[in-house]
Amino acid sequence: MRERIRETFKKGGGIFRMVPNFVPVRFGAPGHRLKLHPDDYFAYGAESGTIMERWFCTVSGTRVKNDRRPDQGLSYVLGADGEQFLFRDAVAELREELIGEQLQEKYGTFPVFAKFFDYDTPLYFHFHPADEVAKKVGCEAKPECYYFPPQLNNHPGRRPSTYIGFNSGVTKEDIRECIEHFGDYDTHITKYSRAFDLEIGTGWYIPAGVVHAPGSLLTYEPQWGTDLNCVLENVVCGEVFDERYMTDICPESEENKTDYIMDAIDWETNFDPAFKEHYFRPPVKLETKQEGVTEKWVCYGNDYITSKEVTIEPGVETVLTDKAAYGCVIVQGFGKFGVYEAEAVNLMRVGQQTADEYFVSKDRAVAGVKIINNSKVEPMVLLQHFGPDNAVYIK
């Protein structure tokens, strides 16, 4: 295995070509924007759920276990010999050669990943607890970013708006009552929140502890590498959720789950009257390095995750340089990415290889990746996600 990992790393010039990583979900309805073949939405069996997510460059499996897929959520690399190996094993073997000294010394792994989530219906009103709560059930805090790529949003779904935080005038007792009666009736908890219409080509940053109910646009979500929710909304578009979705953050020994959940909410941030001003993320264009190449920060302004959208115009050849290792996915166009022939997906089948997802090592990112857009008419567009060693703040 070690030889396979190192041979692939060497032949790829410090770049891994990744294997598509699909995750089925047992709730909600699919938006059908993942470029997945219509026959493959139940490829892992009906009891596993519907494929509505694709995860990129992750060393983390799903918190919800699947007996049929013990590796569910884990990313694989396509080896130079055509065989696959776990990205997690590659990180463990190559260490700072792959992810850089800073991430290796502090985290011992690549601590973030990205996903597409593709729901026709909105997600439930929920939050991700901070570290001190998450660690009690073996997880970590999950700050996350959203970006709504134009290439994958041909229709808006049933509700392209996201509830975030609480309205002024709402009391903690209002929320407590909803928690206490989660299993009794539809609490309509989102009446205490405010919804923001989602704008394609923009994004948000959602800190841990902030309640939110994501809307129905296909969303590119760079996030911390963990998977823990506390669901506060018990009925979503007529679908009823069991109380375990709410109490999953509680240790088994915890008797007063209501108080425990109440204490886990970041009340100050949820009541921030200028939440959009502080956490909305319009794209920010970088200073032009080369004619025909546009780089925009689309996720930024936090200590954990950043993301960039890069557009290469038809016929343009460039060398893309960055300060840190990153995962990326091509969402439009075709050409060359390093040593690889690369192209966005038009239609894919579960179990078949694509040429749209890559992981770039720290040294290769610094030295630069040669990218060629071989189209005569269409831009080549890719999304990159970085970890905390490439935090970006923009005034």
Side-chain angles (χ1 to χ4, degrees):
M1 178 61 71
R2 294 184 61 188
E3 291 75 16
R4 176 178 292 152
I5 290 171
R6 290 194 169 275
E7 179 188 14
T8 302
F9 188 63
K10 182 178 180 180
K11 287 188 174 180
I15 303 173
F16 283 138
R17 181 178 170 188
M18 307 299 292
V19 177
N21 177 13
F22 300 107
V23 175
V25 181
R26 296 187 182 123
F27 56 81
H32 298 101
R33 293 163 295 196
L34 283 177
K35 306 294 182 71
L36 189 63
H37 192 284
D39 292 343
D40 285 7
Y41 278 88
F42 294 97
Y44 299 120
E47 73 281 3
S48 296
T50 312
I51 292 175
M52 289 187 275
E53 298 186 1
R54 180 181 174 187
W55 292 17
F56 301 104
C57 303
T58 174
V59 300
S60 307
T62 57
R63 180 167 170 77
V64 177
K65 300 306 177 186
N66 185 341
D67 292 338
R68 290 185 55 172
R69 296 182 70 215
D71 60 350
Q72 183 166 281
L74 295 172
S75 288
Y76 282 81
V77 177
L78 183 67
D81 58 1
E83 297 296 319
Q84 300 177 12
F85 52 85
L86 280 170
F87 179 55
R88 181 168 64 185
D89 290 344
V91 175
E93 168 63 26
L94 295 168
R95 299 163 61 88
E96 62 271 8
E97 291 179 70
L98 183 62
I99 62 175
E101 291 183 3
Q102 185 176 337
L103 292 185
Q104 180 59 39
E105 289 177 4
K106 187 168 183 178
Y107 303 101
T109 190
F110 192 66
V112 301
F113 71 97
K115 68 172 69 161
F116 288 153
F117 65 78
D118 177 36
Y119 294 79
D120 187 51
T121 50
L123 283 173
Y124 38 54
F125 198 53
H126 67 285
F127 71 94
H128 309 289
D131 265 336
E132 59 267 22
V133 173
K135 286 180 178 178
K136 292 180 180 178
V137 291
C139 295
E140 295 177 274
K142 183 191 169 188
E144 58 193 26
C145 299
Y146 301 148
Y147 178 66
F148 312 112
Q151 294 83 1
L152 296 168
N153 275 296
N154 55 298
H155 71 86
R158 296 192 207 176
R159 196 204 72 203
S161 57
T162 292
Y163 285 98
I164 307 176
F166 298 124
N167 284 316
S168 60
V170 172
T171 68
K172 290 185 180 181
E173 287 308 309
D174 292 329
I175 307 307
R176 175 184 288 276
E177 184 176 1
C178 292
I179 293 172
E180 289 176 339
H181 293 284
F182 189 96
D184 299 331
Y185 51 79
D186 186 348
T187 63
H188 296 286
I189 191 170
T190 52
K191 68 187 176 185
Y192 296 122
S193 183
R194 70 271 197 186
F196 299 92
D197 287 345
L198 302 180
E199 304 171 50
I200 291 174
T202 71
W204 290 81
Y205 169 57
I206 305 294
V210 171
V211 289
H212 54 291
S216 56
L217 290 184
L218 181 138
T219 302
Y220 173 64
E221 179 187 340
Q223 63 159 86
W224 201 253
T226 190
D227 191 22
L228 178 66
N229 302 319
C230 179
V231 177
L232 300 183
E233 186 177 11
N234 58 349
V235 182
V236 183
C237 293
E239 184 174 11
V240 180
F241 288 88
D242 188 270
E243 196 169 305
R244 62 186 170 84
Y245 283 88
M246 179 177 65
T247 59
D248 192 36
I249 68 167
C250 303
E252 291 184 8
S253 59
E254 182 57 50
E255 296 182 1
N256 191 335
K257 291 182 171 56
T258 298
D259 281 350
Y260 191 85
I261 292 167
M262 291 286 291
D263 290 342
I265 297 171
D266 180 349
W267 296 100
E268 181 179 357
T269 306
N270 279 291
F271 280 115
D272 183 352
F275 191 93
K276 184 172 183 179
E277 179 183 337
H278 294 150
Y279 297 104
F280 177 63
R281 297 291 183 260
V284 177
K285 187 176 178 180
L286 280 71
E287 186 175 342
T288 301
K289 298 178 183 177
Q290 178 185 334
E291 193 70 28
V293 180
T294 303
E295 299 179 64
K296 297 177 182 177
W297 291 115
V298 295
C299 302
Y300 53 87
N302 67 85
D303 292 337
Y304 309 100
I305 326 121
T306 55
S307 181
K308 186 153 49 94
E309 179 190 73
V310 182
T311 301
I312 300 103
E313 297 300 328
V316 171
E317 177 179 320
T318 190
V319 175
L320 181 65
T321 59
D322 288 284
K323 298 178 181 178
Y326 60 88
C328 71
V329 57
I330 297 168
V331 293
Q332 185 176 359
F334 68 96
K336 292 275 288 186
F337 187 85
V339 302
Y340 298 100
E341 300 290 338
E343 59 187 58
V345 169
N346 288 318
L347 186 70
M348 55 186 159
R349 302 299 302 257
V350 173
Q352 293 183 352
Q353 183 62 41
T354 62
D356 65 335
E357 181 185 355
Y358 300 91
F359 188 85
V360 178
S361 64
K362 166 70 180 291
D363 287 348
R364 173 49 56 197
V366 172
V369 177
K370 184 178 179 180
I371 304 175
I372 305 173
N373 182 351
N374 285 330
S375 174
K376 296 184 183 301
V377 295
E378 187 174 11
M380 188 173 178
V381 182
L382 59 103
L383 299 172
Q384 305 166 275
H385 68 274
F386 303 86
D389 54 339
N390 197 26
V392 173
Y393 285 85
I394 297 167
K395 293 183 180 180

